[in-house]
Amino acid sequence: MQKEARLYDKLENDEVRCFLCNHRCTIRPSKFGVCGMRENIGGTLFTHAYGEVVAANVDPIEKKPLYHFLPGTRSFSIATPGCNFKCAFCQNWQISQMSKKERKNLPVYRLSIESAVEQAVSYACKSISYTYTEPTVFFEYAFDVARLAKQKGLRNVFVTNGFMTREALDEIRPYLDACNVDLKSFREDFYKKTCKGSLKPVLESIEYMKKIGIWVEVTTLVVPGENDSEQELGQIAEFIAKVDPNMPWHVSRFHPDYKFTQQPPTPMQTMQLAVRLGKKAGLRFVYMGNVAGDTNTVCPGCSETVLTRTGYAVGVPKMQNGKCSFCGATIPGVFPD
């Protein structure tokens, strides 16, 4: 569905400048932005990512992954096609790399704002997640769904590459409760070459989300030979710890996909190294993803396990009102009543 976009300026000669994400595209008439889903039609910027989804599922919130935000609850998860990055290792590339620019008839189906919220409520979800692709690209749709969801007592979650502008975050802040941000590397050349993006805006987004009160967890997909050096993993951990040592860091195991089919899966030794580096940097909560193993939450005060996880299944919490049942220490996060 075509709808006039938010967050853009009209320029001379019917050009427009989009400031939804940090590409800040200047778009000539009949042309698209980098995302391939926002088009200048006669001097007005339109989104083609409104209300037509490519996926809608009920997921455990742990799948986002969010471990300290409403653990043990379900999240109604929606996506439209499109992304403002071109990550060569993308593990959802079949839908994220679709665009209206490249393909006139996209395999989507209509999901109204009202229906999205109604389904979330009917499935006893506690939140709606804008995920699988890049929610910044379908910002207008996510904004309207999130606003109605908030009225119905639901929380809202972005699973994002963090490349949105500060203006976009300010606009959706009243309705956005949590984000999982992919911090893909700590090198500008990696972002430029492999993702067709930039590192600095992502770091700034993480810092700003924290500042304005959004609950943030960070994920790094550890790709062999690309971002898996001890130095780089240590730099990522140190950055997160500087923003907030209570911010959970998910180090996720890579498997060959999309254009990165020659690399092997991430060795477990590398995954374990990342966990050690995270703890060395002062992070209190470091979790491995895409592996079978210990993903329990441990109290930073007494080292007792307060939340067990087997896959996406969560055990009975050993805490009350966000406090450890053993020692009373606060477990940072947003927890169900």
Side-chain angles (χ1 to χ4, degrees):
M1 176 179 173
Q2 185 176 295
K3 184 179 178 68
E4 185 175 359
R6 290 174 174 264
L7 300 170
Y8 79 99
D9 291 323
K10 294 189 175 186
L11 307 176
E12 295 180 352
N13 302 317
D14 283 340
E15 292 187 344
V16 300
R17 179 175 293 116
C18 177
F19 54 93
L20 173 62
C21 86
N22 276 287
H23 287 303
R24 296 186 181 269
C25 299
T26 297
I27 308 170
R28 299 193 306 275
S30 302
K31 301 297 183 181
F32 287 82
V34 168
C35 64
M37 295 298 288
R38 297 165 81 79
E39 182 183 11
N40 179 346
I41 301 175
T44 298
L45 186 62
F46 286 89
T47 173
H48 292 284
Y50 192 91
E52 295 181 339
V53 301
V54 73
N57 301 296
V58 176
D59 288 333
I61 193 70
E62 286 76 17
K63 192 176 180 180
K64 301 302 104 188
L66 287 169
Y67 280 10
H68 289 239
F69 183 81
L70 305 180
T73 66
R74 293 186 286 184
S75 188
F76 190 63
S77 302
I78 57 177
T80 77
C83 188
N84 51 3
F85 277 8
K86 308 297 180 187
C87 300
F89 51 81
C90 181
Q91 304 196 341
N92 277 339
W93 61 272
Q94 294 94 336
I95 54 177
S96 72
Q97 298 307 308
M98 288 182 187
S99 75
K100 197 72 173 180
K101 178 181 178 181
E102 302 296 335
R103 183 175 178 178
K104 184 176 180 180
N105 296 312
L106 294 171
V108 296
Y109 62 94
R110 187 89 178 97
L111 182 65
S112 70
I113 297 161
E114 295 78 11
S115 181
V117 175
E118 287 169 4
Q119 288 190 50
V121 172
S122 70
Y123 287 117
C125 296
K126 298 298 183 184
S127 62
I128 296 181
S129 291
Y130 311 88
T131 181
Y132 306 136
T133 60
E134 175 50 48
T136 308
V137 171
F138 58 98
F139 183 88
E140 291 80 6
Y141 179 52
F143 181 94
D144 287 348
V145 173
R147 181 167 52 185
L148 181 58
K150 186 67 79 169
Q151 293 172 9
K152 300 297 184 181
L154 298 170
R155 309 288 184 95
N156 293 290
V157 173
F158 269 20
V159 181
T160 175
N161 60 27
F163 203 63
M164 69 282 285
T165 60
R166 183 168 293 196
E167 295 98 316
L169 283 171
D170 285 339
E171 184 125 335
I172 202 167
R173 173 62 196 98
Y175 313 110
L176 186 60
D177 299 284
C179 287
N180 185 293
V181 181
D182 284 329
L183 181 49
K184 301 172 186 292
S185 170
F186 213 73
R187 302 194 328 272
E188 186 64 45
D189 65 305
F190 179 97
Y191 266 86
K192 183 176 180 180
K193 177 183 177 182
T194 306
C195 305
K196 312 304 179 188
S198 182
L199 169 64
K200 185 179 177 183
V202 179
L203 303 181
E204 291 174 345
S205 287
I206 293 170
E207 293 172 329
Y208 192 58
M209 288 174 187
K210 170 65 181 176
K211 179 179 178 180
I212 62 178
I214 297 170
W215 178 256
V216 182
E217 304 191 19
V218 174
T219 295
T220 300
L221 182 69
V222 182
V223 185
E226 299 292 333
N227 63 350
D228 62 340
S229 71
E230 182 171 349
Q231 179 184 11
E232 185 165 2
L233 292 171
Q235 288 173 328
I236 293 172
E238 289 165 8
F239 166 78
I240 299 169
K242 183 178 178 181
V243 177
D244 181 2
N246 291 317
M247 187 177 288
W249 184 31
H250 302 263
V251 287
S252 190
R253 192 183 193 197
F254 165 86
H255 63 77
D257 213 332
Y258 195 30
K259 298 180 181 179
F260 271 37
T261 57
Q262 302 305 312
Q263 281 87 341
T266 316
M268 281 303 297
Q269 297 94 318
T270 305
M271 301 294 290
Q272 293 160 354
L273 171 65
V275 172
R276 291 196 301 272
L277 291 170
K279 293 179 177 178
K280 180 181 178 182
L283 291 175
R284 297 188 176 100
F285 306 100
V286 185
Y287 301 101
M288 285 193 285
N290 289 345
V291 300
D294 185 1
T295 56
N296 297 337
T297 295
V298 174
C299 173
C302 65
S303 299
E304 292 285 350
T305 297
V306 294
L307 200 59
T308 59
R309 297 181 184 84
T310 303
Y312 297 129
V314 176
V316 177
K318 299 295 192 300
M319 55 180 169
Q320 295 181 338
N321 300 318
K323 293 186 180 298
C324 173
S325 297
F326 300 98
C327 72
T330 297
I331 310 299
V334 179
F335 299 102
D337 296 334

